[in-house]
Amino acid sequence: MRLPLLSVVLAVSFVPAWAGDLRITLPKRTHETPVQNLNREGVSAIEKHQFRKAEKLFYKAYLIDPDDPFTLNNLGYISEIQGRIERAQRYYELASRQNTETTVDKASVEAMKGHPLTEVTGAYASRDLRVNRGNVEAMSLLTRGRVQEGEDVLQRTLAMDPKNPFTLNNLGYAMEGQGNLDSAFRYYTQAADLHSSEKVVVAIDPHWRGKAISDVAANNVRALRRRIDTEQTDAARVARLNLQGVSALNHNDPEQARKFFEDAYRIDPKNAFALNNMGYLAEVDGDQETADEFYTEARAADGSNTRVAIASRRAVVGQPLARVAESNGEGAQSNLEAKQAAKQRETAPIQLKTRDNKSVPEPASPPEPENSPQQNPPQE
């Protein structure tokens, strides 16, 4: 499965005002100072994807002049690509507060050339930083298996900039990870149709670096088409249904989740994940005994050592399914024992119930035993 890309990209080696362009800045000066030289070297390292080297150079510049707005801006950029968003925001804010008349000499957005640096950083810190922050936060959540939370962050981010190709592509990834291939296809297509030439520089998949984001999205569309065409085996369908069921639970749609889980179990009643999910349904229905049976079967099924990719409880993500099913089974058994103990403490009359928790009506009088021998009347 493809991994999501970061929304931060580099177009050229100087500051822009819009998300997607490299926010590395250099002042317009006649004679280069040591600080400016260090910033230029840092920019060169960024272009070669040598981010640690760039960070060291920017920090050297910072030690020489901690108030230099270009250095502060560049440290904000490095912090952002490291996922340290709060630190990035502080650097950007510090850069924008500097009372400087320095103007931008070079920028990937032509309109920014000649503008004061404070105007550039101030504009960026408003909407574009929030968009980048959302994408960075979402990517961190997605890579940790917290797919629903990542999707929620991306949806809020998309509302700020509905045509941001990076957010759209990342939403496609989030949907694909939840088995919602139709929505994934839609988001990938929207990102591709924007025909954005903004380049990807920071990405988990190194093969995406240097490519235009819309080209990446278009490749995702083609890959998803191939997946839909080829993944028609029962195993693929069951895996997708299980993912969709968990996603439905995370979207607070338990009825839809039940349908997905039951469909998966009907296709393959020996699938470890399907058995575990049926145990969950039985537990929701209050049938602890059946839930425990399903969990026991899940632990013994083939594939029970597969690690959980997404779940309704973040604590189990990354654990082998067998361990999760064991924990679920112990919980179901504990619930059953607790209910039994509570019933033993009850003083009310015992009420008969079927296994599906329906009450059994008691007859008005005790039934006669079947085929009982006819008793003779007493003889005098």
Side-chain angles (χ1 to χ4, degrees):
M1 181 176 289
R2 294 175 304 282
L3 294 170
L5 64 97
L6 209 59
S7 68
V8 182
V9 297
L10 310 175
V12 294
S13 59
F14 304 100
V15 152
W18 313 113
D21 300 310
L22 176 58
R23 294 176 300 282
I24 300 299
T25 58
L26 292 175
K28 184 177 182 179
R29 291 175 181 168
T30 304
H31 302 289
E32 291 187 356
T33 67
V35 169
Q36 185 175 5
N37 280 331
L38 288 167
N39 275 294
R40 287 191 180 276
E41 290 178 30
V43 170
S44 178
I46 289 285
E47 292 176 326
K48 298 173 183 176
H49 311 305
Q50 298 172 346
F51 299 114
R52 289 186 179 180
K53 179 180 179 181
E55 181 182 17
K56 291 179 180 178
L57 291 166
F58 294 148
Y59 270 119
K60 285 182 180 180
Y62 177 78
L63 292 174
I64 296 173
D65 184 359
D67 296 323
D68 180 73
F70 292 89
T71 305
L72 291 168
N73 184 79
N74 296 342
L75 283 170
Y77 169 77
I78 286 292
S79 298
E80 187 177 341
I81 66 173
Q82 292 172 337
R84 303 159 80 176
I85 300 304
E86 291 184 2
R87 174 176 290 196
Q89 186 177 29
R90 287 198 298 271
Y91 279 126
Y92 288 137
E93 288 175 353
L94 287 171
S96 65
R97 289 176 187 171
Q98 300 304 313
N99 185 17
T100 177
E101 296 181 357
T102 306
T103 58
V104 177
D105 181 31
K106 297 180 180 179
S108 59
V109 177
E110 190 70 24
M112 289 298 101
K113 292 183 180 180
H115 284 246
L117 176 65
T118 52
E119 179 181 324
V120 175
T121 56
Y124 174 76
S126 57
R127 186 194 71 169
D128 296 327
L129 179 58
R130 294 198 303 272
V131 170
N132 272 356
R133 169 188 288 183
N135 276 282
V136 171
E137 180 184 356
M139 193 191 73
S140 176
L141 291 167
L142 291 171
T143 55
R144 285 181 284 159
R146 295 163 61 178
V147 183
Q148 177 57 48
E149 295 172 79
E151 181 197 339
D152 291 342
V153 171
L154 287 169
Q155 292 289 2
R156 293 195 297 270
T157 303
L158 189 65
M160 289 186 276
D161 185 1
K163 293 187 177 181
N164 184 287
F166 298 94
T167 309
L168 289 166
N169 188 77
N170 288 344
L171 265 170
Y173 169 85
M175 293 302 183
E176 187 176 359
Q178 297 178 83
N180 191 342
L181 303 189
D182 290 338
S183 294
F185 188 86
R186 184 174 70 253
Y187 283 121
Y188 286 146
T189 301
Q190 288 178 13
D193 288 347
L194 288 172
H195 302 293
S196 172
S197 60
E198 294 177 276
K199 304 292 184 180
V200 178
V201 168
V202 182
I204 295 180
D205 186 343
H207 297 97
W208 291 359
R209 291 175 179 167
K211 297 179 181 178
I213 177 58
S214 287
D215 290 343
V216 170
N219 288 335
N220 290 341
V221 170
R222 289 190 287 269
L224 187 57
R225 280 190 181 132
R226 289 194 298 270
R227 179 181 174 186
I228 293 172
D229 292 340
T230 58
E231 291 188 1
Q232 297 300 326
T233 64
D234 285 349
R237 290 168 59 204
V238 169
R240 191 155 57 245
L241 286 166
N242 283 321
L243 284 173
Q244 289 174 305
V246 173
S247 176
L249 281 179
N250 290 335
H251 284 85
N252 297 316
D253 192 349
E255 291 304 316
Q256 189 66 27
R258 178 180 293 273
K259 179 181 181 301
F260 286 132
F261 290 153
E262 290 177 345
D263 287 348
Y265 180 70
R266 271 194 293 270
I267 295 172
D268 186 359
K270 294 183 179 181
N271 179 272
F273 285 87
L275 287 164
N276 183 77
N277 294 337
M278 289 301 294
Y280 165 81
L281 293 180
E283 199 169 353
V284 168
D285 293 337
D287 189 349
Q288 302 294 336
E289 186 176 349
T290 300
D292 191 49
E293 291 174 0
F294 275 122
Y295 291 140
T296 299
E297 290 184 51
R299 291 198 301 271
D302 290 340
S304 60
N305 289 325
T306 304
R307 296 187 180 276
V308 176
I310 66 171
S312 55
R313 290 185 294 125
R314 72 176 66 169
V316 305
V317 173
Q319 294 184 19
L321 178 67
R323 186 184 303 170
V324 176
E326 181 179 6
S327 176
N328 290 340
E330 290 172 353
Q333 184 63 30
S334 298
N335 290 337
L336 181 60
E337 292 172 357
K339 287 187 175 182
Q340 289 173 341
K343 287 181 179 179
Q344 290 173 359
R345 293 192 297 268
E346 291 179 357
T347 58
I350 296 175
Q351 185 179 15
L352 298 178
K353 290 188 176 182
T354 60
R355 286 189 65 175
D356 58 358
N357 211 31
K358 293 182 180 178
S359 298
V360 178
E362 295 188 17
S365 58
E368 291 288 339
E370 296 181 3
N371 301 323
S372 60
Q374 183 68 34
Q375 291 183 339
N376 295 322
Q379 300 292 321
E380 294 182 358

